Amino acid sequence: MYRYDDRDRAILNDRVAQFRGQTQRYLAGELSEEQFLVLRLQNGLYIQRLAPMLRIAVPYGLLNSTQLRRLARISRDYDKGYAHFTTRQNLQFNWPHLEDVPDILAELAEVEMHAVQTSGNCIRNTTSDPFAGIAPDEIADPRPYCELIRQWSSFHPEFAFLPRKFKIAVSGSQQDRAAIRVHDIGVQITKRDSDLGFQILVGGGQGRTPVIAETIRDFLPEADLLPYLEAIVRVYNRLGRRDNKYKARIKILVKALGPEEFGRRVEEEWQQGKDGAEKLTPQALQWARSFFTAPAYKTFDGSASEAALQQQAEGDRAFARWLERNTYCHRVAGYRAIKLSTKPTGVPPGDVTDRQLDAIADLADAFSFGEARVTHDQNVVLADVEQGRLYALWQQARQHGFATPNIGTLTDMICCPGGDYCSLANAKSIPVAEAIQRRFDDMDYLYDLGDLNLNISGCMNACGHHHVGHIGILGVDKKGQEFYQIQLGGSAANDASLARVLGPSFSRAEVPEVIGKILDLYVQQRRTAESFLDTYKRIGLQPFKESVYAKAG
Amino acid sequence: MPKPAKPGPQPGNPSELIIDGEILPNQWRLLAQTAAGESPDIPAAGKVILPLRQWQAQRRALTARSDEIGVWLDSDEGAESIGAAAAQCPLIAVHFPAFADGRGFTTGRLLRERFGFKGELRAVGGFMRDQLTYLRRCGFNAYAFEGDEPLASLHDSLHDFSDSYQAGVDQPLPLFRRRL
Ligand code: HEM
Ligand code: SF4
């Protein structure tokens, strides 16, 4: 992974000192509420319903065990002993004291971490594929580019006060696992002949006006990445609306101008700065790549280790299930990637305790070269596990509550903090997740349903990605009461699409039953091996509507 | 270019400002914008900063005084509205109607990097101390604060950061080029 040198450290320490000064000025009454708001948000600090909330940046989701242990310690010493993995591969603390934040940042800086630009109207943490570097379908490792983008965008003097927040995601694989089509900029690594380059998409996003991004360039040569991104953000900074925060995202600008015209303006801007200093030199690319080399893999006979694994699976049904759902192909023979599930029934999705953070660090050290990755579905990946040691890993993961074999199923839901923590919520979302987990607790049934993304947001800001869930649940407010709207047919993958509203909303108590009816219809209608999403695409919304809203009797 | 919903307050004329790291008396008088079509009241002598529209209309008539005629750009008036003429300007002021309106950063950078502006680049309006490093990196060398904070306590913030990752007006090479 990327390691800081003295210059990164100097920049980060300057930031810690700067934020300490800002906090002191605020506490002394020298900074207004409004001014401090902007400054603290650029440092990931929200003031929430119950306490401040601090969002820590995890660049493209990658963490080492030292960092994990430090996060565990911070959650113990400054918080209530737990933390929360977010859909943007970051980590949040829900109960820090404002006065302690500078000290927390100093603790983070010691392990090369920070909270820079995790919120606010600036370029946020760049996200990527949690299987970067090991996925068999990878065209090229996205992480060196993510790191270059991280450096370019950190404290960017021109772009710290954009019209609105700005999110970039990079995918290096054929399968998009970074949801690039619902980001302000999506970067898809691609090849033309043998040259590496990027397909550039702009104007995607969720929130109250969800939009799927449009391609403005099919192939951008590798060296041009940063000048091109700079051109996009510059056009947006100048032309994006600033009169209405709901219309300030780049997606609104791209819609208003049309993607062709927007793309034309970007090209024009880019032509002027194309060969400027940010153009990536071969040395720079090589330097960035040097941080993401393959670890010291052993050589295995793939088929022998596969056979041994099958034998273990046959002997232990619980292990077999976990193997089936929670492990992934690796491009090196004899290795697999695994996902630790943070979603056993009754735990808010993405929540981990300080001990679990320490346990992830231990597992990473013991099984995966000391590294882990946060995923956009709020789980954790260990990327480089020897097949022969999966059984041992599974047993340990189980002791720490991480081995629920539900990855990719209905109960592996994405869920925002909702009304339990968030001051913007219309409704609670964590209890809805739990009610659904309780009702659908039969693993065989979940496996039979197959891959299913259920996403829950407590309001239209869409932090829980309800627009792109195969099934989306949105908390709405009706005359001061909490209701839930159901949506179907969304996807954040290559076939990205926005879910459509099923019909009038339901009370919280009704939600599990409604989900049950939707699933019943799917099971009844599906063709062999057809996924929920495919069935939905084939038969459309209407049959689901009829079945859910049918009058009893 | 989109305007802010509410036109912000017009920039004022503080008596002192920070120029090139020093606290100096303000020698220029900034004229507020007049409504469309009205002819501006330009003082017969002394250094004045004209709103873009007036500057465009009066520039030629005032050629003899070109050393004492500056121009100010509102946040929706980009650098290209002056364009190549920037190189001859003694002073350009960029208005920040509110500290969250970050268009002026782009304007500053383009004036310096694209249009060859060498004169005084002055930030005016509602920017704040914590933006000084960014302003400096985007090419601003003068800061006309309007609040009541003592200037002496502000100018430390010009160097909140000792180094930077990306290229800027102050540092034309990004860190990745300087590292190797
Ligand atoms: C608890 C404090 C939080 C607050 C106040 C908050 C606020 C918001 C707001 C206002 C938006 C709408 C932005 C827009 O439409 O432009 C938004 C979007 C979003 N938030 Fe949050 N959020 C919170 C927590 C989270 C968490 C915990 C996650 C991840 C689990 C998250 C992930 C997202 C995502 C992915 C979006 C959609 C971004 C897009 O439009 O592309 N947020 N949030
Ligand atoms: S979706 Fe709404 S309720 Fe949920 S975290 Fe985001 S802002 Fe809060």
Side-chain angles (χ1 to χ4, degrees):
Chain A
M1 75 191 290
Y2 182 73
R3 296 311 306 255
Y4 281 19
D5 69 6
D6 289 347
R7 300 170 113 151
D8 297 272
R9 247 172 254 126
I11 293 172
L12 186 48
N13 290 335
D14 290 342
R15 167 51 146 217
V16 174
Q18 185 194 41
F19 194 73
R20 194 179 287 282
Q22 289 166 344
T23 308
Q24 279 160 1
R25 280 158 62 212
Y26 170 70
L27 292 172
E30 293 165 22
L31 264 176
S32 73
E33 205 59 64
E34 189 199 6
Q35 290 174 323
F36 187 58
L37 174 99
V38 175
L39 301 175
R40 68 172 162 76
L41 284 182
Q42 298 219 345
N43 214 41
L45 185 61
Y46 283 77
I47 305 293
Q48 275 305 301
R49 175 157 286 184
L50 303 166
M53 181 274 274
L54 182 64
R55 189 179 289 152
I56 312 298
V58 184
Y60 34 96
L62 199 56
L63 284 166
N64 64 34
S65 53
T66 308
Q67 295 173 326
L68 282 158
R69 289 196 183 94
R70 181 56 59 94
L71 293 169
R73 190 172 102 186
I74 292 172
S75 77
R76 234 176 349 254
D77 292 353
Y78 297 93
D79 207 287
K80 295 192 174 180
Y82 63 91
H84 180 80
F85 290 122
T86 81
T87 52
R88 303 208 69 258
Q89 301 180 296
N90 289 327
L91 181 129
Q92 287 180 187
F93 292 120
N94 280 315
W95 309 93
H97 296 284
L98 177 62
E99 296 77 1
D100 288 338
V101 172
D103 292 338
I104 298 177
L105 298 180
E107 292 232 8
L108 289 169
E110 286 174 6
V111 295
E112 304 176 8
M113 294 190 80
H114 56 74
V116 174
Q117 293 174 203
T118 51
S119 187
N121 296 336
C122 47
I123 303 175
R124 305 279 189 91
N125 183 32
T126 296
T127 51
S128 191
D129 183 355
F131 299 110
I134 59 123
D137 68 338
E138 190 162 271
I139 300 152
D141 189 340
R143 294 172 300 175
Y145 307 109
C146 291
E147 177 54 32
L148 288 162
I149 295 172
R150 180 192 77 82
Q151 299 199 8
W152 163 77
S153 61
S154 293
F155 310 113
H156 197 297
E158 196 182 332
F159 303 138
F161 297 87
L162 294 171
R164 203 71 174 83
K165 59 174 166 178
F166 202 87
K167 302 175 177 181
I168 304 175
V170 185
S171 162
S173 296
Q174 274 145 21
Q175 278 300 317
D176 174 9
R177 288 176 291 263
I180 64 168
R181 286 160 185 81
V182 284
H183 279 78
D184 297 293
I185 300 180
V187 177
Q188 173 64 53
I189 298 176
T190 172
K191 262 193 182 147
R192 199 172 58 184
D193 305 322
S194 58
D195 295 334
L196 271 183
F198 312 97
Q199 181 194 355
I200 306 288
L201 299 93
V202 292
Q206 302 190 61
R208 63 180 72 201
T209 317
V211 180
I212 305 290
E214 303 265 6
T215 299
I216 57 164
R217 200 167 224 280
D218 287 321
F219 188 86
L220 179 74
E222 191 184 24
D224 294 314
L225 180 64
L226 299 181
Y228 201 81
L229 294 181
E230 191 143 306
I232 297 175
V233 186
R234 185 172 278 169
V235 169
Y236 168 58
N237 191 33
R238 298 192 58 196
L239 301 181
R241 285 182 65 166
R242 288 175 181 267
D243 57 336
N244 176 341
K245 76 175 210 173
Y246 301 116
K247 298 193 169 156
R249 301 275 306 263
I250 194 173
K251 60 193 173 190
I252 306 291
L253 177 63
V254 174
K255 283 243 148 170
L257 290 175
E260 297 75 24
E261 173 59 15
F262 181 83
R264 194 192 60 73
R265 288 182 188 234
V266 169
E267 294 282 324
E268 206 175 86
E269 179 60 39
W270 174 57
Q271 285 305 326
Q272 309 245 18
K274 192 171 177 305
D275 296 314
E278 299 287 356
K279 187 160 181 165
L280 294 170
T281 56
Q283 296 90 313
L285 287 161
Q286 200 183 12
W287 169 77
R289 285 197 189 100
S290 71
F291 293 98
F292 303 96
T293 51
Y297 292 123
K298 297 179 193 158
T299 313
F300 290 102
D301 173 346
S303 51
S305 91
E306 191 68 36
L309 197 58
Q310 286 320 316
Q311 211 170 16
Q312 282 170 327
E314 275 161 32
D316 191 330
R317 184 154 149 69
F319 177 62
R321 279 178 159 167
W322 180 80
L323 201 59
E324 167 79 19
R325 286 301 332 179
N326 296 29
T327 75
Y328 295 80
C329 289
H330 198 289
R331 80 168 174 227
V332 177
Y335 284 85
R336 274 203 203 185
I338 68 111
K339 255 192 204 179
L340 299 173
S341 169
T342 69
K343 320 217 189 138
T345 300
V347 174
D351 268 20
V352 282
T353 64
D354 59 329
R355 286 172 169 210
Q356 284 181 309
L357 283 165
D358 277 329
I360 298 171
D362 293 345
L363 293 174
D365 278 340
F367 294 96
S368 194
F369 299 99
E371 287 181 8
R373 295 116 182 261
V374 186
T375 72
H376 116 271
D377 50 20
Q378 303 176 285
N379 292 307
V380 176
V381 160
L382 299 178
D384 299 295
V385 184
E386 291 171 25
Q387 279 191 353
R389 301 186 64 212
L390 284 170
Y391 196 77
L393 167 59
W394 170 68
Q395 286 175 313
Q396 292 185 29
R398 206 147 69 141
Q399 281 168 15
H400 296 288
F402 285 132
T404 312
N406 62 347
I407 298 294
T409 69
L410 181 74
T411 59
D412 179 22
M413 50 206 32
I414 293 177
C415 180
C416 82
D420 290 297
Y421 298 101
C422 180
S423 47
L424 306 176
N426 285 328
K428 292 195 179 188
S429 49
I430 294 169
V432 179
E434 183 173 344
I436 294 170
Q437 285 173 330
R438 293 209 183 282
R439 149 103 200 222
F440 302 99
D441 63 347
D442 176 352
M443 281 291 169
D444 289 319
Y445 180 65
L446 291 182
Y447 294 150
D448 177 59
L449 294 173
D451 288 338
L452 230 172
N453 300 343
L454 183 119
N455 297 350
I456 311 174
S457 302
C459 78
M460 70 286 213
N461 285 322
C463 301
H465 294 211
H466 65 276
H467 300 295
V468 290
H470 302 166
I471 301 176
I473 301 180
L474 167 65
V476 292
D477 176 274
K478 283 211 291 197
K479 300 190 185 116
Q481 282 203 298
E482 297 187 0
F483 274 82
Y484 298 86
Q485 193 183 73
I486 310 291
Q487 312 190 349
L488 296 183
S491 163
N494 296 56
D495 60 348
S497 59
L498 301 172
R500 290 175 59 208
V501 179
L502 187 65
S505 54
F506 299 95
S507 71
R508 191 190 303 164
E510 290 171 303
V511 171
E513 199 49 45
V514 171
I515 303 297
K517 285 183 186 165
I518 291 167
L519 297 175
D520 286 346
L521 184 79
Y522 157 59
V523 169
Q524 200 186 318
Q525 293 284 329
R526 71 178 161 192
R527 295 177 177 162
T528 323
E530 195 178 46
S531 70
F532 176 83
L533 193 60
D534 286 337
T535 303
Y536 167 85
K537 283 187 190 153
R538 181 168 54 78
I539 68 177
L541 193 67
Q542 197 55 30
F544 288 99
K545 204 175 183 140
E546 283 164 15
S547 131
V548 167
Y549 294 99
K551 292 263 180 300
Chain B
M1 250 186 245
K3 287 249 181 208
K6 292 181 278 273
Q10 298 275 298
N13 277 300
S15 58
E16 290 189 318
L17 70 169
I18 301 173
I19 304 178
D20 293 326
E22 286 184 73
I23 300 168
L24 295 171
N26 187 1
Q27 302 193 337
W28 292 77
R29 182 141 159 247
L30 184 142
L31 298 185
Q33 255 163 355
T34 59
E38 274 175 44
S39 62
D41 252 353
I42 300 173
K47 297 174 166 181
V48 283
I49 310 175
L50 304 177
L52 176 67
R53 207 180 309 118
Q54 273 84 346
W55 178 80
Q56 283 165 337
Q58 303 287 319
R59 187 156 67 99
R60 284 182 209 292
L62 294 168
T63 321
R65 291 176 63 190
S66 61
D67 283 355
E68 47 179 36
I69 301 295
V71 55
W72 68 274
L73 300 177
D74 218 334
S75 61
D76 60 327
E77 294 165 336
E80 73 291 335
S81 52
I82 298 184
Q88 272 78 55
C89 260
L91 179 145
I92 300 176
V94 177
H95 183 212
F96 291 79
F99 64 78
D101 185 342
R103 288 176 279 188
F105 294 99
T106 292
T107 305
R109 227 182 141 180
L110 293 183
L111 284 170
R112 291 287 194 209
E113 292 178 349
R114 192 163 296 169
F115 297 109
F117 175 59
K118 297 281 189 306
E120 178 178 324
L121 186 56
R122 183 181 280 204
V124 299
F127 62 95
M128 63 170 156
R129 163 185 174 166
D130 305 270
Q131 294 174 311
L132 280 177
T133 303
Y134 293 150
L135 286 167
R136 180 181 59 78
R137 299 209 60 226
C138 287
F140 290 86
N141 68 324
Y143 315 95
F145 276 97
E146 291 185 18
D148 13 273
E149 285 176 89
L151 294 185
S153 74
L154 301 176
H155 90 311
D156 286 353
S157 298
L158 276 167
H159 294 278
D160 274 353
F161 291 90
S162 53
D163 204 343
S164 54
Y165 281 117
Q166 57 300 98
V169 175
D170 62 322
Q171 170 47 271
L173 289 181
L175 192 52
F176 70 75
R177 289 212 175 178
R178 287 181 282 131
R179 259 174 173 146
L180 303 169

